[in-house]
């Protein structure tokens, strides 16, 4: 049998996994969701869900991949028998569905980047609307979507070390540096304090019983960590037995959450500092950032243009390290299940994903609905993982973690949370989200 490829180093894996987690969900989704009325309560719920529910599930997903050494499609069967086959399919379809609309969003990001670079920023509301029109409708959407999928496919075709790890190694440090610099710059804007207040400190306790706020917090936690969809199964299947998974999980989720908060500290001050930006808001939810940021920044002239180019360039690279992880799920599954070559699996999956993304490219309403629906699948996937590893294959969990010298107390804590806390809380989140969506 051919040897399974492995990450070159422990850091390669951590950066690739963090690269999957950090993406448009942080730079665009987090700010958008926090601005939907939840404010500080949204943020608090999000952090609690990550700490109490997602961390144990994240470790389990990695355990599932590493202990079986299989793709997301076959790992559940290898761990607990063929009754778990449907779970593998949920992973594969959810990844394809997410990448389908994600590639459209990436296309908008790329378009906004090129537009800001070559044609400058829109200064008035009319110009802003024209700007969005040219970025997110018509043929430029398809071009952007194709461009994004093509880049994604060319990284994945190059494999784990030569493609995914290589990209993550230079792009992730750059990304952290850029977002920190932008956050520091944004702190000097006149609307900085007002922006933080709007984003981080708007406290309204009635939000605890607002179904939408609860749904958004659950969705954001899972989406942002790339959780419940088999990505960490795929990535961890290329990992050696010594990496301390609980530590990696803590590292990955801290990086992810910090970038989300830092990104909010960039966008909200900009939105509050420039009145045109606020006027441009509200129009269509998914387009918020793509309109409001460039419009706000235009009043700073050349500096504003530089910031916009940096921000959208950054967003695109962050999105690319996420989209490659999404594509790796169907690709590794096809290789594993049908013995296909990597090239063939990449071409087949990319074409399929392009086709199912067409409706989202044509209508941002469809795109929004797809995103909300797929959040539910992530929760479902997370729930199934908790049940599988917590109850049906808990030996796998113990053995795998004992082998990588994680502390016994940490293991006991994780297992307890996995069995008794994650499943009911995720089930609650699923039910609330379903009720809210219907
Ligand atoms: N976590 C990525 C982001 O925040 C998106 C993503 C979701 C990637 C689910 C993979 C799986 O942008």
């Amino acid at each position: 049998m051919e040897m399974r490829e492995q990450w070159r180093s422990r850091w390669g894996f951590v950066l690739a996994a963090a690269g999957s987690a950090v993406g448009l969900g942080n730079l665009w989704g987090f700010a958008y969701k926090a601005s939907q009325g939840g404010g500080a309560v949204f943020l608090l719920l999000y952090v609690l869900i990550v700490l109490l529910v997602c961390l144990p599930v994240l470790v389990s997903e990695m355990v599932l991949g590493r202990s079986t050494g299989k793709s997301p499609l076959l790992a559940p069967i290898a761990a607990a028998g063929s009754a778990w086959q449907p779970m593998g399919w949920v992973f594969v379809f959810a990844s394809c569905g997410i990448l389908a609309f994600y590639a459209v969003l990436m296309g908008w990001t790329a378009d906004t980047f090129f537009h800001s670079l070559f044609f400058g920023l829109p200064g008035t509301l009319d110009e802003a609307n024209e700007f969005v029109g040219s970025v997110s409708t018509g043929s430029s959407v398809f071009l952007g979507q194709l461009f994004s999928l093509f880049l994604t496919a060319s990284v994945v075709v190059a494999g784990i070390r030569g493609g995914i790890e290589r990209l993550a190694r230079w792009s992730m440090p750059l990304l952290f540096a850029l977002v920190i610099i932008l956050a520091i710059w944004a702190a000097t804007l006149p609307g900085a304090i007002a922006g933080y207040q709007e984003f981080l400190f708007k406290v309204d306790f009635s939000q605890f019983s607002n179904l939408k706020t609860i749904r958004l917090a659950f969705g954001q936690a899972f989406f942002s960590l790339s959780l419940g969809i088999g990505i960490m199964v795929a990535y961890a299947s290329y990992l050696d037995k010594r990496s301390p998974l609980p530590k990696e999980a803590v590292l990955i989720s801290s990086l992810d959450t910090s970038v989300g908060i830092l990104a909010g500290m960039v966008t909200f001050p900009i939105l509050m500092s420039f009145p045109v930006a606020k006027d441009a808001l509200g129009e269509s939810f998914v387009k918020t950032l793509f309109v409001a940021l460039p419009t706000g920044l235009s009043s700073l002239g050349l500096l504003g243009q530089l910031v916009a180019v940096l921000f959208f360039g950054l967003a695109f690279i962050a999105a690319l390290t996420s989209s490659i992880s999404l594509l790796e799920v169907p690709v590794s599954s096809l290789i594993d299940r049908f013995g296909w070559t990597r090239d063939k699996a990449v071409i087949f999956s990319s074409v399929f994903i392009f086709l199912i993304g067409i409706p989202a490219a044509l209508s941002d309403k469809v795109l929004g609905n797809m995103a909300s629906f797929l959040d539910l699948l992530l929760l479902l996937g997370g729930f199934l993982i908790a049940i599988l590893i917590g109850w049906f294959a808990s030996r796998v969990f113990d053995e795998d973690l004992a082998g990588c010298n994680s502390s016994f107390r940490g293991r006991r804590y994780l297992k307890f949370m996995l069995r008794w806390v994650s499943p009911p809380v995720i089930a609650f989140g699923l039910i609330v989200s379903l009720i809210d969506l219907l």
Side-chain angles (χ1 to χ4, degrees):
M1 221 176 91
E2 205 184 325
M3 267 284 283
R4 201 172 176 78
E5 208 184 345
Q6 289 222 327
W7 301 100
R8 186 162 299 156
S9 76
R10 179 186 162 207
W11 275 103
F13 165 73
V14 171
L15 289 177
S20 169
V22 173
L24 295 175
N26 306 61
L27 299 172
W28 156 84
F30 197 63
Y32 152 67
K33 285 177 188 160
S35 69
Q36 294 295 294
V41 169
F42 164 81
L43 206 66
L44 180 72
L45 283 177
Y46 164 80
V47 172
L48 280 178
I49 296 169
V50 168
L51 284 178
L52 300 178
V53 180
C54 292
L55 261 182
V57 178
L58 183 56
V59 176
S60 312
E61 235 193 277
M62 294 177 181
V63 164
L64 183 57
R66 179 164 76 176
S67 62
T68 59
K70 296 264 187 247
S71 67
L73 180 62
L74 300 185
I77 306 176
S82 55
W84 290 85
Q85 169 91 77
M87 182 169 157
W89 286 111
V90 170
F91 289 161
V92 172
F93 281 111
S95 322
C96 292
I98 290 189
L99 184 51
F101 79 80
Y102 205 76
V104 176
L105 280 176
M106 279 173 85
W108 293 3
T109 312
D111 286 344
T112 309
F113 170 81
F114 287 122
H115 215 93
S116 311
L117 183 64
F118 294 120
F119 304 107
L121 308 176
T124 62
L125 211 53
D126 284 341
E127 278 172 28
N129 285 325
E130 202 182 308
F131 184 83
V132 189
S134 70
V135 160
S136 65
T137 52
S139 56
S140 62
V141 179
F142 285 108
L143 274 180
Q145 184 198 10
L146 269 176
F147 173 73
S148 309
L149 276 176
F150 179 77
L151 278 186
T152 305
S154 31
V155 177
V156 175
V157 133
I160 295 303
R161 285 193 178 187
I164 298 177
E165 184 168 359
R166 197 136 139 231
L167 175 71
R169 272 174 168 259
W170 66 264
S171 66
M172 293 311 290
L174 177 72
L175 211 119
F176 295 127
L178 265 180
V179 77
I180 290 173
I181 293 173
L182 286 177
I184 294 175
W185 168 79
T188 65
L189 291 173
I193 303 290
Y196 301 148
Q197 266 166 0
E198 179 88 8
F199 170 46
L200 299 168
F201 307 117
K202 212 167 73 190
V203 185
D204 166 9
F205 288 108
S206 70
Q207 289 296 325
F208 275 118
S209 55
N210 184 338
L211 297 188
K212 184 172 171 201
T213 301
I214 300 175
R215 170 170 70 84
L216 291 178
F218 269 98
Q220 179 63 16
F222 278 77
F223 186 84
S224 184
L225 281 176
S226 309
L227 200 59
I229 193 176
I231 284 175
M232 299 299 166
V233 176
Y235 276 12
S237 74
Y238 307 111
L239 196 59
D240 68 46
K241 299 281 178 222
R242 281 161 314 168
S243 287
L245 294 184
K247 264 198 208 130
E248 324 286 47
V250 171
L251 204 60
I252 293 163
S253 32
S254 330
L255 286 174
D256 185 56
T257 305
S258 329
V259 176
I261 293 176
L262 280 169
M265 291 169 62
V266 177
T267 42
F268 281 85
I270 298 180
L271 298 185
M272 301 307 273
S273 298
F274 308 108
V276 223
K278 278 211 91 178
D279 296 340
L281 273 172
E283 187 224 339
S284 140
F285 87 75
V286 276
K287 292 183 183 162
T288 308
L289 266 194
F290 299 93
V291 202
L293 269 196
T295 313
L297 288 170
S298 73
S299 54
L300 292 180
L302 211 56
L303 173 67
Q305 190 175 359
L306 176 70
V307 173
V309 168
L310 282 181
F311 184 86
F312 287 100
L314 166 106
F316 188 81
I317 296 175
L320 187 61
T321 53
S322 301
S323 64
I324 55 179
S325 70
L326 283 161
L327 188 58
E328 182 63 22
V329 173
V331 166
S332 60
S333 298
L334 289 172
I335 296 175
D336 214 14
R337 171 78 174 73
F338 300 109
W340 287 9
T341 61
R342 186 164 268 273
D343 295 4
K344 181 171 167 194
V346 167
I347 295 173
F348 179 85
S349 313
S350 311
V351 171
F352 176 67
I353 287 164
F354 174 73
L355 293 178
I356 56 175
I358 290 178
L362 292 173
S363 142
D364 53 315
K365 195 128 180 250
V366 173
L367 195 155
N369 289 338
M370 258 172 109
S372 308
F373 170 73
L374 284 156
D375 274 356
L376 289 183
L377 280 191
L378 298 185
L379 287 177
L380 177 67
F383 178 78
L384 291 175
I385 292 167
I387 300 285
L388 172 75
I389 299 291
W391 293 98
F392 286 85
S394 63
R395 236 195 42 228
V396 170
F397 189 82
D398 297 328
E399 283 172 6
D400 187 272
L401 291 187
C404 67
N405 68 51
S406 54
S407 80
F408 178 71
R409 280 205 6 238
R411 268 191 333 255
R412 215 176 42 185
Y413 165 79
L414 282 173
K415 180 111 162 256
F416 176 82
M417 299 303 278
L418 192 63
R419 289 191 143 183
W420 300 105
V421 178
S422 300
V425 177
I426 301 176
F428 167 78
L430 251 177
I431 293 169
V432 168
S433 304
L434 258 180
I435 297 176
D436 182 51
L437 279 180
L438 297 178

